[in-house]
Structures are given as C-alpha cells and as structure tokens.
Amino acid sequence: MTRPVDVQERASSSLWDRYKAILESVRRTSDSTGKNSSSASVLAVSKTRSINEIGALAQLGQTDFGENYVSEAIPKIIEFSSHSMNWHFIGTVQSNKTKPIAQHFDWVQSVDREHIAWRLNEARRNCGAIGPLNVCIQVNIDDESTKSGVSIGFLPDLVQRVQEMPYLRLRGLMAIPRMQSNPENSRSAFSNLYELFQSLKPAASDCWDTLSMGMTSDYQIAIEEGSTMVRLGTALFGPRA
Ligand SMILES: *Cc1c(COP(=O)(O)O)cnc(C)c1O
C-alpha cells in the first residue's frame, strides 16, 4: 500500500520542481526585457494530459489551461467546473464547433476569419449571463499555406470587425511561427508580431493586452521579443506520448 503513495509523491514533487523552475525562468526573462511592464503569464497546454495531471498542476496554483480539441477538452472543463480555472481554446476552430466552444471556454486564441468570429459571437450571445468571450486573432506570421491564421494584409480589417462584435472581447494576437531547428531563428517572427501588436493598439480597445507567442522550445526568445503569454505543454508536463 505504501509504494503507490511514494511514487505519487515523487511524481508530484518533480512536477513542483519543474513548475517552479519554469515560473522562475519566465519571470527572470521578463525582467530582462524592457518591452512589457509585467511578467509574461503561463498558459499550461494540457492536450493529451489526464485529469490527474491537470489537477496536480492546478493544485500548485496554475489557473490557465489550453486545449486544442473540443471533444477532448469538454470532459476536462466539466470535471474542474467547481475550480476557478480559465480554459483557452488554441486549436483550429471548425465552424460546426463554435457553439460548444463559446459555451465552455473562457478564451479562444485562434480566431482567424470573420465568419468564425461571427459564429462565436452569436453562440456566446445565446449563453446567458456569462459575459463576453475573450478572443485573440491568430496571425499566420510566416505566411505558411498549411497553417491557420489570418495573413498580415487582412489583419487590420479583421481586428476592426471583431471589435464590433459585442459578445467577443478582443484581447490581442496569437501566433505559431514556422518550426525551426534553432529557436533563435524565430526571433524575427516574434519581433514582427510585437511590432504588429503595437501598431494595432491605437485601433483596438483598451483590453488589447495579450500577445500570445512562445512554446516550450522558444518561449524565452518570445518573451525577449515582447510576448505577454507563453503556451507551455512539454516544459510543464514532460514529452507528449
Ligand atoms: C501543443 C501546443 C503548444 C504547446 O507545445 P509545447 O511544445 O509542448 O510547449 C502551444 N501552442 C499551441 C497552439 C499548441 O498546439
């Protein structure tokens, strides 16, 4: 009977060590850049992770979790409905999933078309008194044909349109730069995103405060270039199966 407890304790203490180290590294890197007044926040990307793994991290104080697939996410969100957690949808939004997304999530970081924004707005309108849905517009920063995200040329117009939707609260931009073997090669994409984020600020409302960029392999570089939110899966939970 004692062995499983030991194993469990060892597992959670290593999670704590890892979590503490990541928070410390995010804080230190944020302090070293003059681009933002406060430290970048950490979104725990929990796709493929179990209820137990998510619960363990929540117990350490993590509040924001990101999921890519609606059917995988909803049972998790329901399981933790009595906790005060914020759930971010970060996958591709299919138009037939806008209703459950608007109903269950607090944020959608991957809005990239007016049609999707409009459907989310209408679905949120019908959710009763839960307030507007926080959204970011996903930018296809390297103009990759295989990737979601609005191209830069259409971004100002989409910002304008989303801004007009009363059940969406436009918070900023999200992007996933092209995969690089050396994360240093993503620096210019991050820096371009930061410039875009700044340049759209005057046109956006006063809740334009989120630049979601940086993952496990490149989050420090993203923070150095002005990220306000890093999305970390592997760094927190270990490699995905
Ligand atoms: C999976 C995923 C992440 C996290 O990736 P890691 O490399 O495990 O940190 C971040 N953002 C998005 C959009 C993802 O799909």
Side-chain angles (χ1 to χ4, degrees):
M1 283 308 283
T2 56
R3 195 175 138 72
V5 174
D6 280 344
V7 170
Q8 176 105 31
E9 269 174 9
R10 211 173 310 134
S12 63
S13 88
S14 81
L15 179 68
W16 170 235
D17 289 342
R18 201 152 54 201
Y19 186 54
K20 226 171 25 176
I22 291 290
L23 293 183
E24 175 59 20
S25 149
V26 165
R27 194 191 54 74
R28 223 176 323 105
T29 313
S30 300
D31 286 350
S32 75
T33 171
K35 293 207 161 164
N36 293 311
S37 51
S38 50
S39 198
S41 64
V42 171
L43 177 69
V45 176
S46 50
K47 62 179 174 226
T48 77
R49 312 300 176 173
S50 67
I51 297 284
N52 284 345
E53 289 174 285
I54 296 168
L57 201 58
Q59 232 165 28
L60 300 179
Q62 178 65 30
T63 55
D64 287 62
F65 291 84
E67 289 280 339
N68 296 58
Y69 305 100
V70 179
S71 56
E72 181 191 341
I74 287 176
K76 297 176 180 176
I77 298 175
I78 291 172
E79 176 73 27
F80 292 105
S81 56
S82 64
H83 296 56
S84 46
M85 284 158 68
N86 302 311
W87 292 91
H88 300 234
F89 190 77
I90 58 173
T92 303
V93 184
Q94 290 168 319
S95 77
N96 63 347
K97 296 285 167 59
T98 46
K99 204 168 152 183
I101 291 173
Q103 208 166 15
H104 291 280
F105 283 85
D106 306 290
W107 286 68
V108 179
Q109 297 199 6
S110 40
V111 170
D112 64 356
R113 278 172 288 160
E114 185 181 354
H115 174 65
I116 291 293
W118 184 84
R119 288 186 60 101
L120 288 169
N121 183 64
E122 292 312 300
R124 191 73 171 193
R125 186 196 298 278
N126 295 322
C127 281
I130 56 174
L133 180 63
N134 295 291
V135 301
C136 291
I137 293 176
Q138 183 176 351
V139 184
N140 190 349
I141 189 69
D142 291 311
D143 221 3
E144 295 169 277
S145 59
T146 54
K147 205 165 269 172
S148 307
V150 64
S151 53
I152 293 171
F154 293 112
L155 177 59
D157 189 52
L158 186 57
V159 166
Q160 219 49 59
R161 297 303 163 93
V162 174
Q163 197 102 262
E164 288 160 6
M165 299 183 185
Y167 294 89
L168 302 183
R169 181 186 289 139
L170 181 58
R171 302 293 295 266
L173 304 177
M174 183 273 257
I176 313 166
R178 175 183 291 131
M179 266 294 242
Q180 302 284 357
S181 50
N182 178 358
E184 192 57 45
N185 295 337
S186 297
R187 189 180 289 281
S188 62
F190 290 139
S191 145
N192 292 343
L193 274 160
Y194 179 78
E195 293 305 322
L196 276 174
F197 178 68
Q198 292 298 331
S199 72
L200 290 162
K201 198 173 252 176
S205 66
D206 42 356
C207 41
W208 183 259
D209 60 4
T210 303
L211 181 56
S212 171
M213 60 185 196
M215 302 168 38
T216 292
S217 61
D218 54 18
Y219 73 91
Q220 286 161 314
I221 291 167
I223 294 171
E224 285 165 9
E225 297 304 325
S227 172
T228 71
M229 187 188 289
V230 291
R231 306 179 309 269
L232 304 177
T234 311
L236 295 172
F237 295 106
R240 276 184 293 278

